[in-house]
Amino acid sequence: MTTDTHPNSASQAASRVKGLWSFRGKYRILHLTWFAFFLSFVVWFNFAPFANTIAEQVGLTADQKKTIGLCNVALTVPARIFIGMALDRWGPRRVYATILMFAVIPNTIFALSSSFETLVFSRLALSVVGAGFVVGIRMVSEWFPPSEVGTAEGVYGGWGNFGSAAAAFSLPTIAALFGGDDGWRYAILLTGVIAAAYGLFYLRAVTDTPDGVSYARPRRQGALEVTSRGGVWGLAALTVPLNAILAVIAWRIWRVDVITTPVFIGVLAAVAALLIIQEIAVFRVNKPALAGEYRESDQYPLRSVAVLCLAYFATFGSELAVVSMLPTFFEDTWGLNTTLAGIAASGFAFMNLASRPAGGIMSDVLGSRKRTLSALLVGLLVGYVLLSTMGSAWPWALAIAASMFCSFFVQAGEGAVYAIVPLVKKRVSGQVAGMAGAYGNVGAITFLTVGLFVSDRVFFLTIAVAAAVAFLASHFMVEPADSFATELLVDHEADETDLTHPEHAHAHPGSIGDADGLAPAGAHRS
């Protein structure tokens, strides 16, 4: 049994920040993994900097350009769920490497595209790459003890997320260096080649766990493994919005006449069929939970997963939505030119480098992960109410400061969410990460869809309402056991059933590995 020691000094935060300068042991894994996330986001967001150029060269209408943007997120929601299942089964090393190497195929097709149909097909495939985030959540949690996992996950999320901003300001420069009308093609093509090369490197450079620590796998595959009767019904309910949002995307594409009504009806039928298949899987996989076969010591509260989903819906969902509309908001409200409006709005995204790690550090050192998340959700609520009051009467410099104030709570809240996700239940932490991450995308699409019909003020207030709901729900979350344990978290129940697996025959149940030791690059454990 690990020792649960609550943090008692802010000096611990300083020591964690100091440790980030290391490139040995667990920190080596952290740095290699956040860079994998960074590259996946560079590829995922390599369309936006060239959207107008591509539209002009290929002859896209405004509606077609928006459709490609929607296609870029269309499959990210289900992909995060299925990738979560894959990484719990095969391990993050293989799954992350596969995603990065896969990216080069649709990315190359996109770079060479000369028709709307090819752009749509390739961008749909690239939306899967955007789901790679969840893989690193489990990888990092395998190497850091609970007392440090918030800091590590915050750095992973914050620094990796910066890939979207890096794509925005670096790819146009790279395209200019290539020169000519096809400069954008070479710049986009390069991102896929680099991602694939790094995927090959990552496959050889990391291991799933430190030496002597087994990789806990779910007992059953096909859906998230829950451990109580109520949890089964709760999971069935959580599955509905993840499919409903696909119908919303299809509706948005249909309403601008990009697809015909028969095609739209066909998509709705396909989404309904997918939901039925997933619900059947939920009840089939979780028959032991329905029968009450799980020991109390092996059970976990699904309501905590639901709260984390709501919190990420409000935090990451609002980040994606606001980053999409903020440049236009500054341009229209204060009459800034496009360049200045983009710079003014960029502060919201740039805060990721510090704010998300800060949220993880706060979760590690303040003594209660639950209360830390609740407090940050209150800040999120206040931040969006503040943004709703902004108007042309405000000095635009003050508006930038207000947006950055709000952005801190957005991204710190994200860090606090993923400081908890790996601690809910170790052997299914990939799937929990995938579900919470998927709800972030659901939030983004929901807020952007609401934004089609309401004013900017009501848009910000809608997000504030979502933050309030998440705050109220956070009171029902259960503080994870061993939240501040100083040894690596081990799923003893999973070990009891998994020791027959040939890859784990060397591991003793409950063994604690030395996460600070540098595991040999060739000793792959997945």
Side-chain angles (χ1 to χ4, degrees):
M1 183 70 177
T2 56
T3 303
D4 194 0
T5 305
H6 288 273
N8 53 25
S9 173
S11 64
Q12 292 183 347
S15 66
R16 285 179 172 84
V17 173
K18 183 178 179 181
L20 295 175
W21 295 102
S22 171
F23 200 75
R24 292 184 56 81
K26 60 190 179 185
Y27 293 105
R28 175 178 176 273
I29 299 298
L30 172 61
H31 291 307
L32 292 176
T33 303
W34 77 251
F35 192 68
F37 176 31
F38 176 93
L39 287 178
S40 71
F41 259 42
V42 168
V43 173
W44 192 28
F45 284 94
N46 63 16
F47 165 67
F50 303 114
N52 291 333
T53 302
I54 294 172
E56 182 180 345
Q57 287 194 17
V58 182
L60 303 178
T61 66
D63 288 336
Q64 287 176 327
K65 185 173 69 172
K66 291 178 181 178
T67 298
I68 293 173
L70 283 172
C71 288
N72 200 46
V73 298
L75 299 183
T76 307
V77 172
R80 288 192 169 192
I81 300 299
F82 292 114
I83 285 175
M85 295 180 189
L87 77 95
D88 281 343
R89 182 171 185 177
W90 288 298
R93 177 182 67 88
R94 292 176 181 171
V95 174
Y96 229 150
T98 299
I99 291 172
L100 291 170
M101 289 186 286
F102 160 78
V104 73
I105 301 172
N107 189 75
T108 300
I109 295 172
F110 184 82
L112 301 177
S113 295
S114 58
S115 69
F116 172 66
E117 291 76 16
T118 309
L119 289 170
V120 166
F121 167 76
S122 56
R123 216 66 223 177
L124 281 170
L126 280 169
S127 68
V128 174
V129 178
F133 160 72
V134 303
V135 183
I137 293 296
R138 173 130 195 199
M139 173 64 89
V140 171
S141 70
E142 292 293 331
W143 284 82
F144 284 81
S147 60
E148 302 174 23
V149 78
T151 303
E153 299 288 12
V155 168
Y156 166 74
W159 294 5
N161 222 323
F162 191 67
S164 59
F169 65 72
S170 67
L171 291 185
T173 302
I174 294 173
L177 291 175
F178 280 111
D181 291 340
D182 290 334
W184 68 270
R185 296 184 186 274
Y186 293 118
I188 288 178
L189 186 65
L190 183 63
T191 63
V193 172
I194 292 173
Y198 191 79
L200 285 170
F201 165 76
Y202 191 79
L203 189 64
R204 298 296 304 170
V206 304
T207 56
D208 286 333
T209 62
D211 284 331
V213 178
S214 62
Y215 186 78
R217 288 174 166 82
R219 295 179 180 179
R220 302 175 69 84
Q221 304 290 338
L224 176 63
E225 178 192 357
V226 297
T227 54
S228 66
R229 294 185 185 91
V232 178
W233 292 101
L235 178 59
L238 285 173
T239 302
V240 175
L242 298 177
N243 288 271
I245 206 66
L246 299 178
V248 172
I249 294 172
W251 171 78
R252 288 191 58 176
I253 296 173
W254 169 76
R255 71 186 291 269
V256 294
D257 297 325
V258 172
I259 59 174
T260 63
T261 299
V263 171
F264 175 54
I265 294 173
V267 172
L268 293 182
V271 170
L274 178 62
L275 174 60
I276 292 171
I277 291 170
Q278 288 181 308
E279 295 289 13
I280 291 173
V282 165
F283 287 93
R284 174 179 55 80
V285 168
N286 289 295
K287 285 181 180 178
L290 288 170
E293 295 178 5
Y294 284 89
R295 289 177 288 188
E296 185 175 350
S297 61
D298 194 29
Q299 294 183 14
Y300 72 93
L302 187 76
R303 67 177 182 273
S304 291
V305 178
V307 171
L308 294 170
C309 289
L310 284 173
Y312 212 60
F313 178 99
T315 54
F316 186 68
S318 68
E319 179 186 350
L320 287 182
V322 171
V323 166
S324 298
M325 60 77 68
L326 208 55
T328 303
F329 176 73
F330 275 103
E331 190 173 349
D332 294 343
T333 305
W334 286 278
L336 304 180
N337 62 43
T338 302
T339 301
L340 278 178
I343 294 172
S346 66
F348 199 95
F350 270 81
M351 289 290 288
N352 244 318
L353 286 171
S355 299
R356 189 156 181 161
I361 292 172
M362 291 168 66
S363 185
D364 280 348
V365 304
L366 292 182
S368 171
R369 300 194 185 278
K370 175 181 175 179
R371 288 197 296 270
T372 299
L373 177 59
S374 295
L376 290 171
L377 289 171
V378 171
L380 183 73
L381 168 61
V382 172
Y384 278 114
V385 170
L386 179 64
L387 292 193
S388 74
T389 67
M390 292 195 307
S392 57
W394 282 47
W396 63 269
L398 183 60
I400 293 174
S403 68
M404 294 180 73
F405 169 81
C406 180
S407 176
F408 171 81
F409 289 101
V410 170
Q411 291 145 10
E414 295 163 8
V417 168
Y418 274 93
I420 299 171
V421 163
L423 304 178
V424 174
K425 190 64 175 175
K426 184 175 180 65
R427 68 175 179 262
V428 294
S429 57
Q431 292 174 78
V432 174
M435 179 163 285
Y439 264 86
N441 288 90
V442 171
I445 297 167
T446 300
F447 296 138
L448 287 172
T449 302
V450 170
L452 294 174
F453 305 102
V454 301
S455 66
D456 292 331
R457 180 175 182 274
V458 175
F459 171 79
F460 289 128
L461 287 175
T462 300
I463 301 174
V465 170
V469 172
F471 166 71
L472 294 174
S474 70
H475 291 78
F476 297 96
M477 189 176 71
V478 178
E479 184 83 29
D482 296 325
S483 274
F484 303 102
T486 56
E487 295 179 324
L488 291 177
L489 192 63
V490 174
D491 193 327
H492 296 279
E493 301 285 347
D495 285 337
E496 290 177 9
T497 61
D498 200 41
L499 284 176
T500 56
H501 196 289
E503 297 182 23
H504 292 180
H506 69 281
H508 187 276
S511 61
I512 302 295
D514 180 9
D516 290 311
L518 183 60
H524 301 311
R525 288 178 303 282
S526 59

